[in-house]
Amino acid sequence: MTTPTPDPAELQVLRAAARRASIARRLQGDPETALLQSIVDATVTLFDAEAASIAIFERDPDRLEFRVAAGEQGAGAIGLSVAPSKGIAGFVFSTGQPLALSDVTSDPRFDRKTAERTGYVPRSIAAVPLVEEHGRGTVGVLQLLDKRSSPTFSLRDMELLGVFAAQAAAAIHATRIQRDLDELLHQALGRLAGDELDAAAIEAIVSAATDGLDPDEESPFWTLVDRLARLQSLGERELGLVGDLLEVLVRYAAPTRRRT
Amino acid sequence: MTDALVPAWSEPFSAAARDRLTRLPPLETIDRDWAFGGATGRGVRVAILDSGLESDHPALHGRVVESVAVELDKAGEPHVVADDHGDLFGHGTACGGIILGLAPEAELVSVRVLGSDLRGKGPAFAAGLEWALEHGVRVANLSLSSKSEAMFGVFHELADAAYFRNVLLVCAANNVPGPSYPSLFSSVLSVAAHDEPDPWRFYYNPSPPVEFGAWGVDVPIAWRDGGMTVATGNSFAAPHMAGLAALLASKHPGLTPFEAKAILAAVADNPRR
């Protein structure tokens, strides 16, 4: 199948939609990470543990990516990726079953390499799956390392961890659409086009639409968006003033643009 | 009316057949000695749908009689093949060790459904269960479940098939919300954890979906590479009930899953009568 060139007008619409979503994401910061961070912060405090972290399942290649972490020994985990079939996080992800192990370092299956990459090798570990209630099933894992008050985890610990995991899964569900802008476009196009477009064609259209959207930090446009984001904390009067100023600027700029 | 005119479903209850119907002794006279006394699990095959079994692990003392794995081809179609990879995680071996701790002469059949392509884990799990039902197992330990709503029908059919073939599915209950198949189906024996360190101690919950509670906190377990560790989770409670079910099946071979559940409930450690 040849890749059809998308209609310029359609592409324009897609590009506008992508740009709006991208601006919205930028303006709101990254609510998912902020929410997940607050969940691991609360987890580590409540359990008085050395570390808590959340890993999210990502595709191509399939992996669990540690997105947020908290606690004195947590920082090293952020950004790490592990294969979903590796280690305790991988097992919990695969089976959907919460699990806790004590004396982890003597457990040969424990992925010691990953632990050493974080600079911290725990003695005990509890992990629970993040399950989206009406969504994609298991989307990640919440992990807790070394509760200071006890070498093992109780039933109540596991239940509480499950509550935090449910919160994390809800946060992921709520913010997923923003994170998966590309996926959204893929799905929408797939549905609209039916059998007329193959995967490669859809891919081509999506990259055309989102091309150049990745914010170049130095570009004047994104600088402006960032400044607007900072305005959100202002009061109504100040916002009104900013709006008026922008209105004047737009009126001034419009004929200038026409001249060029 | 002749027997020939009786619908097939009524045949067991026809005048000629009903004299042969056996019944359980009164439940209040059933005790653990009646249920398990002298039983070793001999002659009972228990399938473990998990990460594989390390057949030379000391805790499994040579009781693994067969090992298969479910592999998915490029089209995502599952195929059951002989497996010599042992245990990829350690978890299956842990479950096997717990079962043999209670039923030392049971025969273990490893059905590895974990460790292959993660995208196809639901279909792989279902194919593994179907294989087990066709290969003479009496008890299947499922310390895992599928979260995919798309798998509801498939697992429902398999749970029914197991029930009608007198195969008891022992499933770890899940504490996380959302679908969980087949552990939420009524015909399976679903298990959550209690924290009393006694492999023989179990409770019946009269308010399902979770029907039984067995030891699942700080359980010493067999682990990969001949190792041992200590673990917590419903997935270690389930094999305790699977071990007891194997004992029951070895002593009372004809029991149906419904009868087995009733007997286990009757001999549970529930303090109130």
Side-chain angles (χ1 to χ4, degrees):
Chain A
M1 185 187 262
T2 53
T3 304
T5 318
D7 182 299
E10 284 168 8
L11 192 57
Q12 197 60 35
V13 172
L14 280 175
R15 201 171 267 154
R19 174 156 280 222
R20 271 167 195 259
S22 201
I23 291 169
R25 187 167 46 187
R26 181 89 163 198
L27 284 172
Q28 289 174 18
D30 181 350
E32 181 180 281
T33 301
L35 277 166
L36 296 182
Q37 184 64 48
S38 71
I39 289 165
V40 287
D41 286 344
T43 308
V44 89
T45 307
L46 187 90
F47 285 92
D48 189 21
E50 292 291 348
S53 54
I54 287 176
I56 306 290
F57 179 60
E58 300 285 358
R59 289 198 185 287
D60 302 320
D62 286 7
R63 64 197 189 276
L64 286 168
E65 207 171 276
F66 284 90
R67 194 69 63 73
V68 294
E72 281 178 25
Q73 304 296 343
I78 297 174
L80 277 186
S81 273
V82 296
S85 55
K86 282 262 167 66
I88 284 132
F91 182 80
V92 168
F93 179 83
S94 307
T95 59
Q97 284 287 349
L99 183 72
L101 293 177
S102 319
D103 200 18
V104 171
T105 48
S106 73
D107 160 16
R109 191 211 43 170
F110 177 67
D111 190 358
R112 201 180 171 89
K113 263 193 199 148
T114 305
E116 280 166 357
R117 272 194 285 159
T118 70
Y120 181 67
V121 180
R123 297 175 307 283
S124 68
I125 185 166
V128 290
L130 310 184
V131 181
E132 275 192 15
E133 216 162 332
H134 303 290
R136 296 181 293 188
T138 309
V139 293
V141 174
L142 168 65
Q143 205 169 256
L144 183 69
L145 307 183
D146 287 335
K147 197 172 70 156
R148 291 190 185 116
S149 62
S150 159
T152 59
F153 298 93
S154 67
L155 276 184
R156 195 179 140 69
D157 288 342
M158 298 305 282
E159 264 170 36
L160 267 177
L161 259 190
V163 172
F164 282 107
Q167 290 295 315
I172 291 165
H173 184 74
T175 57
R176 170 149 50 101
I177 288 166
Q178 288 183 19
R179 188 159 64 89
D180 293 347
L181 171 65
D182 277 13
E183 200 178 313
L184 187 73
L185 286 175
H186 274 107
Q187 282 174 2
L189 279 171
R191 268 200 297 274
L192 286 172
D195 293 334
E196 285 171 35
L197 290 179
D198 64 9
I202 291 176
E203 181 61 48
I205 296 174
V206 171
S207 36
T210 54
D211 188 34
L213 270 183
D214 264 346
D216 169 5
E217 295 302 327
E218 300 305 316
S219 97
F221 178 77
W222 290 113
T223 309
L224 177 63
V225 172
D226 282 344
R227 285 194 180 132
L228 285 171
R230 290 213 296 274
L231 293 176
Q232 285 183 118
S233 55
L234 294 182
E236 218 169 282
R237 271 187 59 197
E238 288 84 354
L239 277 179
L241 181 63
V242 173
D244 291 346
L245 283 172
L246 283 174
E247 178 64 31
V248 172
L249 275 174
V250 167
R251 254 186 264 151
Y252 169 78
T256 319
R257 272 185 69 188
R258 243 179 263 133
R259 277 201 300 271
T260 53
Chain B
M1 197 168 165
T2 65
D3 278 356
L5 294 174
V6 176
W9 297 127
S10 297
E11 197 283 327
F13 317 114
S14 67
R18 58 186 171 233
D19 285 347
R20 296 195 295 271
L21 296 175
T22 57
R23 70 170 178 182
L24 289 176
L27 283 176
E28 62 268 27
T29 68
I30 288 180
D31 59 12
R32 290 200 178 198
D33 188 51
W34 182 92
F36 317 123
T40 60
R42 182 193 291 264
V44 175
R45 284 199 166 201
V46 182
I48 297 175
L49 282 91
D50 214 287
S51 51
L53 287 176
E54 196 172 285
S55 52
D56 57 354
H57 195 291
L60 303 187
H61 49 85
R63 300 307 298 170
V64 181
V65 295
E66 189 168 6
S67 294
V68 297
V70 184
E71 286 176 359
L72 299 169
D73 63 22
K74 280 186 182 147
E77 282 299 309
H79 300 278
V80 179
V81 297
D83 187 31
D84 56 3
H85 287 89
D87 189 342
L88 300 183
F89 281 102
H91 191 270
T93 303
C95 294
I98 291 170
I99 291 168
L100 292 177
L102 292 156
E105 293 196 292
E107 295 176 350
L108 302 184
V109 177
S110 172
V111 184
R112 185 164 64 76
V113 295
L114 295 174
S116 55
D117 188 347
L118 286 159
R119 294 179 198 209
K121 61 186 174 165
F125 177 21
L129 182 55
E130 189 174 11
W131 181 91
L133 296 182
E134 288 163 0
H135 286 77
V137 308
R138 287 300 316 278
V139 179
N141 187 81
L142 285 66
S143 284
L144 72 169
S145 50
S146 172
K147 303 270 184 287
S148 163
E149 289 192 25
M151 298 303 292
F152 171 88
V154 174
F155 278 110
H156 203 288
E157 218 167 89
L158 288 170
D160 274 358
Y163 188 84
F164 294 127
R165 288 181 202 184
N166 283 2
V167 180
L168 187 62
L169 305 184
V170 182
C171 302
N174 218 296
N175 294 328
V176 292
S180 178
Y181 311 124
S183 62
L184 287 182
F185 293 148
S186 57
S187 65
V188 309
L189 191 156
S190 57
V191 193
H194 70 58
D195 58 0
E196 294 166 285
D198 179 353
W200 295 90
R201 196 162 186 83
F202 68 94
Y203 298 95
Y204 172 67
N205 172 21
S207 310
V210 177
E211 287 179 305
F212 289 89
W215 186 22
V217 177
D218 292 344
V219 186
I221 51 164
W223 211 246
R224 221 178 92 179
D225 300 332
M228 298 287 293
T229 187
V230 173
T232 291
N234 290 346
S235 45
F236 307 109
H240 282 107
M241 293 311 297
L244 294 170
L247 287 180
L248 191 59
S250 74
K251 192 165 178 195
H252 305 281
L255 293 178
T256 65
F258 150 73
E259 289 170 324
K261 284 211 271 186
I263 291 165
L264 288 169
V267 301
D269 286 293
N270 295 25
R272 293 179 62 180
R273 289 283 157 200

